[in-house]
Amino acid sequence: MKTSIYKRLGKAFFYLAFAKALLITTSCKSDHLQLTKISSSQTHIDSTLQSVVQIDAYIAPFKKSLDAQMDEQLSFNPASMNKNDYKYNTPIGNMLAAIVREQGAPIYKSRTGKDIDVVLLNHGGIRAGMPAGPVTMRRAYEIMPFDNEITIVELTGEKMNELINYIIDRKKAHPFDGMQIILNADYSVNMVTIQNKPLDKDKIYTVATSDYLYSGGDDMSFFKDTPMVKIDYKIRNATIDYFKKVDTIKFERDNRFEVLD
């Protein structure tokens, strides 16, 4: 599969370069040429395309170097983690929320003097699991393939209440950190705390999220028209940086979001 992806990219590059060269050559042949007809055809970039030996040979050393970087072990994961392991919170979701806080908070603090109260990501943004064993840069790209950036938002107590109700209504393992939500068996609220304190409707809370969610992704409308700061740090890059600095990944399911029997 990896080889076919590189072949597709190489072939696409070849066809684009060829078309450009043909256009330049044709336009230079005569000043009297006139365009009389435009026709087109579609070339699918998929496994049916045949490889081009020259292009394969040209990209081979770059591919080798890239593969070496992508497959170098950065850390170790002792237990498999997937986003659907549990209903309300998962080890992999807790990991990503913790990473956003640990990697993003010092940057935000240095620029604003403020701390991050809560982290909220989305369940659907986790695109792959983490098998037990060596953790690589490739794994980080598979988990978080999008270029989403850490975005810190200021929410009023009222908006924060909307965020909490969103999580309760969805009843899904959206990764979050800095809060605890306990529901009764009938899904009524038993307890909600933020940084181990009850929700303060007069307080302004800082919430780290992604630029995608800030823009209303996953129907998170409570972020609309709220003050925000981007720290120019992709969530994927924060994940890679975290993997590099820890020897072993240690995250578990906990009681940050649960329903009592």
Side-chain angles (χ1 to χ4, degrees):
M1 179 61 71
K2 290 186 292 183
T3 302
S4 64
I5 292 173
Y6 284 106
K7 284 183 178 179
R8 294 174 197 176
L9 290 174
K11 289 161 192 169
F13 175 81
F14 172 80
Y15 289 130
L16 287 172
F18 178 79
K20 183 178 179 181
L22 182 62
L23 179 62
I24 293 172
T25 302
T26 303
S27 64
C28 293
K29 282 184 177 179
S30 172
D31 293 335
H32 303 293
L33 291 177
Q34 292 184 346
L35 182 63
T36 59
K37 181 181 179 182
I38 297 176
S39 61
S40 65
S41 62
Q42 187 177 55
T43 300
H44 293 283
I45 309 300
D46 56 28
S47 58
T48 63
L49 286 176
Q50 298 300 310
S51 63
V52 179
V53 175
Q54 294 89 337
I55 294 177
D56 286 348
Y58 180 78
I59 68 172
F62 302 102
K63 177 182 180 303
K64 183 178 180 180
S65 175
L66 179 62
D67 283 343
Q69 294 178 58
M70 293 290 282
D71 295 327
E72 179 184 0
Q73 181 171 342
L74 307 179
S75 185
F76 182 80
N77 179 36
S80 174
M81 297 190 292
N82 293 280
K83 70 178 184 180
N84 294 317
D85 284 338
Y86 303 98
K87 187 171 182 179
Y88 297 108
N89 75 88
T90 62
I92 193 170
N94 296 344
M95 177 191 75
L96 290 171
I99 286 173
V100 168
R101 177 187 293 280
E102 181 159 337
Q103 298 301 118
I107 302 173
Y108 182 65
K109 179 82 169 182
S110 68
R111 296 184 184 181
T112 66
K114 299 177 183 179
D115 296 313
I116 292 174
D117 296 311
V118 171
V119 176
L120 174 64
L121 302 175
N122 64 316
H123 181 263
I126 306 172
R127 308 305 287 189
M130 283 185 66
V135 178
T136 64
M137 187 181 299
R138 189 184 301 278
R139 182 60 56 186
Y141 271 82
E142 291 169 347
I143 294 171
M144 192 66 60
F146 311 112
D147 289 334
N148 293 334
E149 294 189 8
I150 298 174
T151 302
I152 293 87
V153 182
E154 293 186 352
L155 295 185
T156 63
E158 183 179 351
K159 287 285 188 181
M160 196 68 204
N161 191 53
E162 290 181 31
L163 182 155
I164 293 166
N165 285 329
Y166 173 93
I167 294 173
I168 293 172
D169 290 343
R170 293 308 190 275
K171 299 179 180 64
K172 185 179 289 188
H174 287 303
F176 67 79
D177 187 74
M179 290 191 303
Q180 186 178 30
I181 301 173
I182 307 297
L183 304 180
N184 297 311
D186 63 356
Y187 294 107
S188 61
V189 175
N190 179 285
M191 180 182 69
V192 173
T193 59
I194 302 172
Q195 293 296 321
N196 299 314
K197 297 179 181 179
L199 173 66
D200 184 349
K201 292 187 177 180
D202 296 322
K203 178 179 171 63
I204 300 297
Y205 291 94
T206 54
V207 180
T209 187
S210 71
D211 53 351
Y212 166 72
L213 298 180
Y214 175 76
S215 300
D218 263 6
D219 297 323
M220 294 192 184
S221 58
F222 44 81
F223 286 134
K224 185 178 180 181
D225 299 326
T226 55
M228 71 89 167
V229 174
K230 279 190 176 183
I231 60 173
D232 304 314
Y233 201 7
K234 290 181 173 59
I235 296 176
R236 182 181 59 241
N237 292 354
T239 303
I240 292 169
D241 290 340
Y242 179 83
F243 288 164
K244 288 180 177 179
K245 76 178 187 180
V246 298
D247 177 75
T248 305
I249 307 297
K250 297 178 181 179
F251 290 94
E252 298 178 346
R253 173 197 181 200
D254 57 27
N255 66 343
R256 70 186 63 191
F257 185 25
E258 66 175 353
V259 178
L260 301 176
D261 295 330

